[in-house]
Amino acid sequence: MGHFEPIGFADKQGCSITLRAAAPDDAGKVLNYVFQILSMDPFMLTTPVEFKMTEEDEREWIGDTLKKENDLILLAEDEHGEVAGLINLHGGHKRRMAHTGSFGISVRRDLRGRGIGKGMIQALLEWANRNRQFEKITLEVFSTNHAAIALYRHMGFEQESLQKRQIKLEDGEYVDLIGMGLFLKK
């Protein structure tokens, strides 16, 4: 993983947020956070039943990411050192897609709407802009996640694709999946 210098910012309520690269020693707290998000968030692809990672798996995933120049995992921590959000970027690992990166993001439910997601995306985009490899950043989002779509549009992302009925929820309802992209300014 390329170098990421920790940054601090205040959310919309004035609470201090620290954004830093994840380390293998964070595996336990990341795992607990992911289980919490998966069990409470209707906009995640992975369901809690499918998520089988152990703390050792998580430690290995973070460690492997640290070794790659075009991958990044950032933790947002609140004033108490608790995980407030997580964003991870994976660069294209095929030569013809090496100029692209795709990210996923989550913010703890009780902290949403306070600018934490925006702060994480801004930091990720600044990091990607410094990384000469990246020219384009992409993401996928449930069509029903209106708040996230509004944030991504505000950050400059544009819709590039629509996969109709791509997601089938447990109750049988279908949701479209929107692909969005942003070309970086180099």
Side-chain angles (χ1 to χ4, degrees):
M1 173 170 74
H3 179 71
F4 184 87
E5 194 67 36
I7 61 171
F9 62 93
D11 71 8
K12 290 180 180 177
Q13 294 187 4
C15 295
S16 178
I17 301 294
T18 301
L19 189 59
R20 65 173 179 83
D25 287 345
D26 293 316
K29 77 183 331 184
V30 170
L31 195 62
N32 289 336
Y33 171 77
V34 170
F35 278 126
Q36 176 187 7
I37 290 295
L38 292 179
S39 65
M40 298 173 61
D41 195 324
F43 302 119
M44 302 301 286
L45 274 180
T46 305
T47 64
V49 174
E50 296 171 305
F51 191 73
K52 304 284 187 200
M53 287 187 78
T54 65
E55 189 169 334
E56 187 54 39
D57 295 334
E58 194 75 27
R59 181 181 307 281
E60 187 175 318
W61 176 66
I62 294 169
D64 288 346
T65 300
L66 287 169
K67 296 173 189 171
K68 298 175 184 170
E69 285 297 315
N70 60 344
D71 286 5
L72 183 68
I73 304 170
L74 298 179
L75 288 180
E77 295 176 316
D78 65 17
E79 296 166 329
H80 309 289
E82 299 293 322
V83 179
L86 178 74
I87 189 168
N88 63 305
L89 174 74
H90 294 286
H93 296 289
K94 301 282 185 185
R95 180 174 285 156
R96 292 182 174 180
M97 293 188 66
H99 67 290
T100 68
S102 179
F103 79 89
I105 184 173
S106 61
V107 176
R108 209 170 71 206
R109 188 179 204 103
D110 62 318
L111 298 176
R112 292 184 185 160
R114 293 169 53 167
I116 297 168
K118 181 179 179 181
M120 289 193 298
I121 294 170
Q122 282 175 329
L124 180 129
L125 293 176
E126 288 170 11
W127 180 85
N129 266 311
R130 288 190 303 272
N131 184 322
R132 290 178 288 177
Q133 175 177 330
F134 290 110
E135 298 174 21
K136 181 180 181 182
I137 304 297
T138 64
L139 63 95
E140 292 182 325
V141 60
F142 283 34
S143 62
T144 52
N145 193 346
H146 305 293
I149 294 167
L151 172 61
Y152 302 144
R153 285 193 175 126
H154 175 76
M155 302 294 295
F157 287 84
E158 296 179 358
Q159 181 173 330
E160 295 184 333
S161 67
L162 176 68
Q163 297 177 56
K164 293 182 179 270
R165 297 173 57 143
Q166 186 70 9
I167 308 299
K168 186 174 182 180
L169 303 176
E170 289 77 9
D171 65 2
E173 179 185 351
Y174 291 95
V175 178
D176 298 341
L177 193 62
I178 296 173
M180 302 183 81
L182 172 71
F183 289 95
L184 299 175
K185 298 175 180 128
K186 295 288 183 174

